[in-house]
């Protein structure tokens, strides 16, 4: 065997590859292994090409969950991530994968003590006033123990498993290699850009391995809710925290899903439902930083209705670009405009496949007719999103990770709230935030930002234009230029031209106005000169706007 062969990822982790192949085949999922062409590379994973290509049965979602559980922590977390991808997987797979629990056999307490001693410089009995050997919970990456500080404060000490990094790192390398293989052999993998998805997953898992990151997340949530006494975020004790050990204030309270206990404590369940929704909506639309895993085990309810949150390893961030996409989606829903909604979804899509804009628009028309924002207030969020995700899968539209985490957070909190109050409707709470976000897009400052971005685009185009024209002329002089257009391709081309036209005209208007304002600022001449400068700027802007309106009218007639 050559040196190159020895260095391939398959050869480096051959034993683990065989385990993965064997687990998939035992659960009737050999087709996945066959699609990657690995059935020939690892013959030790029993089963020939016939078994690899057999159709998946109706029990495939159950078998996939079982196989992922068998393969351990990395694959369990992969399944949990896939359970949020309703835009990619059919409902049966999403529902089944959502059952995956991140549990693992307890780590021997001697190993836990060794990690604490190594990280904090002393054994647990010297660092803490008390330390419970029996774990509160044991997961794939870490284990949690109850303890108290010297001043009597109850805390939870999370300790990373000693072998977690090496085990997870091997599996992450394998997943990245499988993703690369998939894009070469499987059209679906290319369409959804599985390499980018796995890279995002790898970054998420590596962040979860670092408890310092989770501590920083907790502190940010504490800052965001410091004025709200009804939301409780545990304090981080940094003097007892490292990348492998995290010490947090211990949260007490009732499980949010235990309706009987809440009733026995005379907790106002309707109040808790509304408060939980407000917490998530504030995170998403005001703070732009949200908890992405608010399942029942991560919320505790106090007798007065206050809500305590824990487990801050998985978070989502709403950047300016994603916020703009959300705004366009809400505006399309408010207007009931299927064409605008189709454009917004195509713009936000990160799929590598081409999307048929006309088909997507036609598929969305009955959807927006059913779920315009004025009526969605009385409609459960889950069925609406299920219909939308079906349309996205059919039209090969894949949403970015942060948007899917956002939808997951909304779906989780709606399910919890409706368990507490069957009459709860997330749309009633979501409506004001959506309307505010839609109007915010029309504010002067927001328009100014878009004009500035458009001006930059025009400047870059101006710099690139000479070289583009030179290449075009060279091509015409040598081989000539041939243009082939099919009717199905014309609409996306026109749509793209319209977007470019919007940016160009916005840049022209912005440039005219900026020129006039610059003249006002820099000129020391009398009012007559200033007035002339301003009039010139206004005429330039009006001329650009008139050209745009004329172009749009011609485009509409053509369309």
């Amino acid at each position: 065997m050559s040196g190159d062969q020895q260095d391939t990822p398959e050869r480096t982790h051959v034993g683990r590859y065989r385990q993965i192949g064997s687990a998939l085949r035992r659960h009737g999922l050999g087709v996945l292994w066959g699609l990657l062409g690995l059935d020939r590379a690892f013959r030790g994973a029993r089963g020939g090409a016939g078994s690899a290509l057999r159709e998946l049965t109706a029990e495939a979602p159950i078998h996939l969950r079982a196989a992922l559980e068998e393969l351990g922590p990395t694959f369990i977390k992969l399944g949990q991530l896939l359970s949020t991808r309703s835009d990619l997987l059919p409902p049966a797979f999403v529902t089944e994968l959502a059952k995956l629990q991140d549990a693992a056999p307890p780590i021997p307490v001697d190993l836990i003590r060794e990690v604490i001693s190594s990280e904090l410089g002393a054994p647990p009995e010297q660092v803490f006033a008390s330390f419970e050997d029996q774990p509160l919970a044991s997961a794939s990456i870490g284990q949690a123990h109850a303890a108290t500080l010297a001043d009597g404060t109850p805390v939870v000490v999370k300790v990373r498993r000693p072998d977690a990094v090496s085990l997870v790192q091997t599996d992450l390398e394998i997943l990245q290699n499988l993703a690369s293989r998939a894009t070469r052999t499987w059209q679906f993998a290319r369409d959804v850009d599985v390499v980018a998805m796995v890279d995002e997953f790898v970054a998420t898992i590596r962040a979860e391995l670092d408890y310092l990151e989770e501590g920083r997340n907790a502190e940010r949530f504490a800052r965001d809710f410091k004025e709200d006494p009804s939301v409780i975020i545990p304090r981080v004790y940094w003097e007892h925290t490292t990348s492998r050990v995290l010490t947090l204030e211990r949260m007490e309270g009732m499980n949010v899903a235990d309706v009987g206990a809440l009733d026995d404590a005379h907790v106002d369940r309707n109040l808790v439902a509304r408060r939980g929704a407000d917490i998530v909506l504030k995170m998403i639309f005001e703070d732009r930083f949200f908890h992405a895993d608010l399942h029942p085990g991560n919320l505790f309810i106090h007798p007065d209705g206050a809500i305590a949150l824990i487990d801050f390893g998985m978070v989502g961030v709403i950047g300016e670009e994603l916020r703009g996409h959300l705004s366009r989606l809400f505006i399309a829903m408010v207007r009931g405009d299927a064409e605008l909604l189709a454009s917004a979804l195509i713009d936000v899509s990160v799929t590598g496949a081409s999307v048929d804009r006309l088909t997507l628009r036609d598929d969305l028309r009955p959807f927006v007719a059913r779920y315009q924002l004025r009526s969605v207030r009385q409609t459960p969020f889950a069925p609406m999103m299920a219909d939308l995700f079906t349309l996205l899968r059919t039209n090969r539209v894949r949403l970015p990770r942060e948007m899917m985490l956002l939808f997951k957070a909304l779906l989780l909190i709606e399910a919890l709230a409706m368990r507490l109050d069957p009459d709860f409707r997330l749309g009633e709470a979501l409506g004001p935030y959506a309307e505010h976000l839609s109007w915010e897009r029309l504010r002067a400052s927001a328009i100014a930002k878009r004009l500035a971005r458009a001006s930059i685009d025009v400047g870059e185009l101006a710099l690139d234009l000479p070289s583009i024209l030179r290449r075009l002329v060279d091509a015409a002089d040598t081989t000539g230029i041939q243009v082939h257009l099919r009717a199905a391709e014309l609409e996306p081309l026109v749509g793209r031209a319209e977007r470019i036209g919007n940016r160009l005209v916005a840049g022209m208007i912005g440039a005219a106005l900026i020129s006039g304002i610059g003249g006002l600022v820099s000129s020391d001449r009398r009012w007559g000169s200033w007035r002339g400068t301003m009039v010139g700027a206004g005429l330039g802007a009006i001329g650009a706007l008139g050209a745009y309106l004329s172009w749009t009218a011609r485009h509409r007639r053509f369309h």
Side-chain angles (χ1 to χ4, degrees):
M1 184 181 293
S2 68
D4 289 343
Q5 289 177 316
Q6 290 176 344
D7 290 339
T8 61
E10 291 93 339
R11 301 304 170 190
T12 304
H13 306 303
V14 62
R16 185 57 170 160
Y17 274 96
R18 290 183 186 277
Q19 290 175 359
I20 296 169
S22 296
L24 291 175
R25 292 183 185 283
R26 276 198 304 277
H27 291 282
L29 301 169
V31 62
L32 299 177
W33 206 238
L35 285 169
L36 299 174
L38 290 169
D39 51 340
R40 294 181 300 277
F42 298 100
R43 300 184 186 281
R46 305 296 289 273
S51 64
L53 296 175
R54 70 178 177 230
E55 292 185 359
L56 297 176
T57 66
E59 289 75 33
I62 299 173
H63 288 298
L64 178 59
R65 176 180 59 79
L68 294 176
E69 286 177 335
E70 181 181 325
L71 289 170
T74 309
F75 288 86
I76 289 173
K77 289 191 173 292
L78 176 64
Q80 291 173 333
L81 171 68
L82 291 174
S83 74
T84 70
R85 299 313 308 238
S86 300
D87 57 332
L88 299 178
L89 296 179
F93 282 89
V94 170
T95 301
E96 192 64 33
L97 294 178
K99 299 176 184 177
L100 283 167
Q101 298 297 316
D102 187 12
I107 311 168
V109 70
D110 290 344
L111 295 179
I112 293 293
R113 289 175 171 274
E114 287 179 10
V115 173
I116 292 176
S117 298
S118 172
E119 293 295 305
L120 303 184
E125 54 270 17
Q126 294 182 24
V127 175
F128 304 101
S130 67
F131 182 86
E132 298 292 333
D133 288 345
Q134 186 67 27
L136 294 170
S138 184
S140 56
I141 288 179
Q143 187 161 290
H145 289 257
T148 55
L149 300 179
D151 62 1
T153 302
V155 295
V156 171
V157 183
K158 294 177 67 173
V159 182
R160 195 175 73 196
R161 287 177 175 267
D163 58 352
V165 172
S166 58
L167 289 176
V168 169
Q169 186 61 38
T170 295
D171 284 344
L172 292 180
E173 290 178 10
I174 288 174
L175 285 173
Q176 287 180 309
N177 183 49
L178 293 179
S180 178
R181 271 182 168 271
T183 58
R184 298 194 297 270
T185 60
W186 192 4
Q187 182 61 45
F188 174 77
R190 288 193 292 274
D191 289 347
V192 302
D193 196 359
V194 71
V195 169
M197 288 184 62
V198 169
D199 287 345
E200 290 175 354
F201 173 70
V202 168
T204 299
I205 294 300
R206 285 177 176 160
E208 287 192 39
L209 289 169
D210 183 2
Y211 283 153
L212 293 174
E213 187 69 21
E214 182 173 347
R216 287 189 285 267
N217 292 340
E219 286 206 329
R220 176 163 177 179
F221 284 122
R223 290 194 302 271
D224 291 341
F225 288 95
K226 65 181 179 181
E227 304 298 333
D228 189 348
S230 67
V231 182
I232 304 169
I233 307 295
R235 176 184 171 186
V236 182
Y237 292 92
W238 290 108
E239 64 273 23
H240 301 315
T241 294
T242 70
S243 63
R244 299 175 68 195
V245 177
L246 174 62
T247 303
L248 296 164
E249 178 184 5
R250 185 172 181 181
M251 296 288 97
E252 303 286 352
M254 293 165 279
N255 188 303
V256 68
D258 191 347
V259 175
L262 296 175
D263 287 341
D264 291 343
H266 305 291
V267 173
D268 186 340
R269 290 194 276 122
N270 295 344
L271 172 65
V272 172
R274 292 193 301 273
R275 184 170 287 163
D278 286 340
I279 289 171
V280 173
L281 293 172
K282 177 184 181 298
M283 288 177 177
I284 291 172
F285 293 103
E286 294 183 13
D287 306 328
R288 308 188 194 185
F289 181 78
F290 61 94
H291 194 306
D293 196 24
L294 279 180
H295 59 74
N298 287 339
L299 295 94
F300 296 99
I301 309 302
H302 289 205
D304 62 356
I307 300 178
L309 310 180
I310 64 169
D311 197 354
F312 308 100
M314 185 181 294
V315 298
V317 179
I318 308 295
E320 196 63 39
E321 183 178 5
L322 182 56
R323 190 174 176 82
H325 288 309
L326 285 172
S327 175
R328 290 189 67 202
L329 292 174
F330 286 133
I331 289 172
M333 289 296 293
V334 170
R335 294 181 184 173
D337 189 332
E339 186 162 358
L340 179 59
L341 184 57
S343 295
L345 288 170
I346 290 172
D347 286 346
V348 75
S349 173
V350 293
T351 183
S354 60
V355 178
D356 187 327
R357 182 172 174 272
L358 284 174
T359 301
L360 178 61
R361 181 197 64 189
D362 292 341
D363 288 348
L364 285 169
R365 279 177 173 155
F367 173 81
V368 297
R370 277 197 307 273
Y371 298 117
Q372 269 187 269
L373 197 58
R374 61 174 176 264
S375 62
V376 77
R377 292 175 186 269
Q378 298 302 320
T379 304
F381 190 68
M384 181 183 73
M385 295 312 301
D387 286 350
L388 178 60
F389 292 147
T390 298
L391 291 174
L392 297 180
R393 284 196 307 274
T394 302
N395 289 276
R396 298 189 298 179
V397 175
R398 182 168 74 86
L399 300 181
R401 171 182 177 271
E402 299 293 331
M403 186 171 282
M404 289 307 302
L405 287 178
L406 181 156
F407 287 143
K408 174 192 173 185
L410 292 176
L411 290 168
L412 281 174
I413 201 61
E414 182 190 54
L416 287 174
M418 290 184 71
R419 184 179 298 185
L420 298 172
D421 176 10
D423 295 327
F424 175 84
R425 292 294 179 266
L426 181 63
E428 293 181 357
L430 177 60
Y433 289 95
E435 290 165 0
H436 174 75
L437 183 61
S438 300
W439 280 109
E440 187 182 67
R441 186 175 174 83
L442 302 177
R443 287 168 48 190
S445 58
I447 293 173
K449 286 182 181 178
R450 293 203 298 277
L451 283 173
R453 287 197 296 267
S455 299
I456 293 172
D457 289 341
V458 171
E460 291 177 348
L461 179 62
L463 291 173
D464 293 339
L465 194 57
S467 61
I468 293 172
L469 290 174
R470 190 179 303 112
R471 290 197 299 271
L472 187 61
V473 170
D474 290 343
D477 287 342
T478 54
T479 61
I481 299 175
Q482 295 182 350
V483 178
H484 301 275
L485 272 181
R486 294 192 298 268
E489 295 173 339
L490 195 55
E491 179 63 26
L493 182 61
V494 171
R496 190 175 299 118
E498 183 176 10
R499 290 195 297 274
I500 294 171
N502 288 341
R503 287 194 170 191
L504 285 172
V505 172
M508 292 164 65
I509 294 172
L513 290 174
I514 290 167
S515 175
I517 294 169
L520 282 174
V521 172
S522 62
S523 176
D524 59 357
R525 290 173 289 178
R526 301 176 57 160
W527 164 246
S529 299
W530 290 1
R531 181 171 55 190
T533 303
M534 198 60 188
V535 168
L539 289 174
I542 291 170
L545 181 59
Y548 170 65
L549 292 175
S550 176
W551 180 85
T552 301
R554 291 197 302 272
H555 165 65
R556 293 301 180 194
R557 286 197 300 272
F558 169 78
H559 180 66

